[in-house]
Amino acid sequence: MPRGAFPGTSPISQAEASGLPASAPIDVHTHVVPPDVVNGRRRYSQADVWFGRLYRNERRVLATADDLRRSMRRAGFGASVAFGFAWRDPGLCRANNDYVLQAAAASNDPGSRVLPFCVVPPGDVDFAAAEMERCQALGAVGVGELFPQGQGWNLNDRSAVRSFMDTVRSLGLILTVHTSEPVGHTYPGKDSTTPDAIWSVIEAAEGEVPIILAHWGGGLAFYELMPEVHQQAQNVYYDSSASHLLYRPDIFRVMGQLAPGRVLFGSDYPLIRQTRALRLASEAGLPPDDLAALLGGNARRLGLNTPASRDAV
Ligand SMILES: [Zn+2]
């Protein structure tokens, strides 16, 4: 069953050999940027403060869509959600979205499908609405990974947040948001989007927008032990992106208990190689059914297994 593997490798047999579920895993959190951004990182670092903070250092890896596809074949992923960087500038968002949408339309290899999300500056409500509508018409299935602090999104402006979320809801998109822990060590991407800050977004969604909180949600799941928080968070999902930089491996088991059915495997590629992220998750000691749910079962129930149905980019 060839799935575009490199010579000498077979994703299927790798997966089987490592005890992974038979169906190919899904990565809900990868970033790709156009080659011009990879080659011009200094220029783009000056254009966007948070991009500069994260990527001015040449050792921080950036990936193109071709890089992602190669990585997916090597690691045996059946699908990856791909988004650009959450630029503050609308024009850069639009250009990155076009690139992601083109990559998804070109990914007709059923063994390594790219599921496109779009990035928008969410505080720019009118632009964001128009851009999300444009991208949804071209195949985007979600919006994100949004970066509230980096993009200047005022989460305390309840009416603007509600307006943005109304658009996300009406377009039937999934929302992925970067979140951070209110305590612990600092790192370049640590921002002010802590569990209390993101709560206005969850409230505005009224349970009708699937929301994926990146990086395990900054700890919000703990508060799901409060019944009213749990009730409001029924459509909130948590992805495992960048887990290796933040938590002990126990996090996989604990999160599976706090939010059963709502944990999703995400790598944050190219921050970490997909092969390594997959290995770390599969070695975290989860029971087989829980591992299968994390690596794809939950994402499929969320609708993240369907091919890009529109390829009119
Ligand atoms: Zn993030």
Side-chain angles (χ1 to χ4, degrees):
M1 191 162 26
R3 297 175 77 116
F6 288 144
T9 68
S10 164
I12 296 300
S13 62
Q14 276 178 1
E16 286 169 352
S18 62
L20 294 173
S23 49
I26 296 172
D27 187 338
V28 304
H29 192 127
T30 73
H31 294 274
V32 295
V33 292
D36 188 56
V37 175
V38 179
N39 299 325
R41 80 163 69 206
R42 186 171 298 185
R43 194 160 27 93
Y44 286 94
S45 292
Q46 287 165 351
D48 189 291
V49 170
W50 275 84
F51 181 85
R53 195 175 290 189
L54 288 165
Y55 294 109
R56 186 175 287 113
N57 184 339
E58 297 275 342
R59 285 183 300 183
R60 294 293 297 272
V61 182
L62 289 163
T64 65
D66 285 345
D67 294 329
L68 173 62
R69 272 193 287 266
R70 276 191 289 272
S71 167
M72 288 170 66
R73 290 188 199 115
R74 188 178 300 128
F77 281 93
S80 290
V81 167
F83 20 68
F85 181 77
W87 306 98
R88 191 164 184 145
D89 176 74
L92 291 178
C93 285
R94 173 181 263 262
N96 211 150
N97 291 338
D98 284 340
Y99 180 72
V100 169
L101 289 163
Q102 284 163 8
S107 73
N108 44 21
D109 175 356
S112 55
R113 193 174 291 146
V114 173
L115 305 171
F117 275 35
C118 58
V119 286
V120 295
D124 188 343
V125 172
D126 291 339
F127 172 83
E131 180 64 1
M132 286 192 286
E133 190 170 348
R134 183 185 79 89
C135 292
Q136 193 261 2
L138 295 172
V141 294
V143 55
E145 176 192 15
L146 302 184
F147 198 173
Q149 186 175 353
Q151 296 185 295
W153 192 17
N154 180 3
L155 297 174
N156 292 319
D157 184 343
R158 305 248 159 188
S159 78
V161 167
R162 188 163 289 278
S163 171
F164 175 80
M165 292 305 290
D166 284 348
T167 304
V168 177
R169 179 196 294 123
S170 70
L171 292 171
L173 296 172
I174 298 166
L175 169 66
T176 293
V177 190
H178 177 87
T179 50
S180 295
E181 316 73 36
V183 295
H185 65 283
T186 58
Y187 50 87
K190 189 152 181 156
D191 79 341
S192 56
T193 315
T194 48
D196 53 333
I198 201 62
W199 192 247
S200 63
V201 174
I202 294 167
E203 279 187 329
E206 295 179 346
E208 294 174 3
V209 177
I211 298 173
I212 301 174
L213 299 182
H215 321 303
W216 294 124
L220 176 70
F222 171 78
Y223 297 104
E224 287 207 39
L225 293 170
M226 301 170 76
E228 73 277 23
V229 174
H230 178 67
Q231 180 66 28
Q232 189 103 39
Q234 285 303 297
N235 218 359
V236 173
Y237 293 76
Y238 300 91
D239 85 26
S240 64
S241 54
S243 203
H244 66 298
L245 296 176
L246 301 172
Y247 295 99
R248 300 198 316 254
D250 298 330
I251 188 72
F252 286 93
R253 181 177 45 78
V254 171
M255 285 298 299
Q257 289 174 357
L258 290 173
R262 294 183 286 116
V263 289
L264 305 170
F265 174 83
S267 63
D268 215 353
Y269 172 86
L271 178 70
I272 181 173
R273 293 191 310 277
Q274 285 182 305
T275 46
R276 181 173 172 226
L278 187 56
R279 189 175 68 245
L280 292 174
S282 61
E283 292 175 354
L286 292 177
D289 286 353
D290 291 358
L291 181 61
L294 172 81
L295 293 181
N298 295 338
R300 287 186 187 89
R301 282 197 295 105
L302 190 50
L304 287 174
N305 59 339
T306 50
S309 55
R310 285 146 289 194
D311 55 358
V313 180

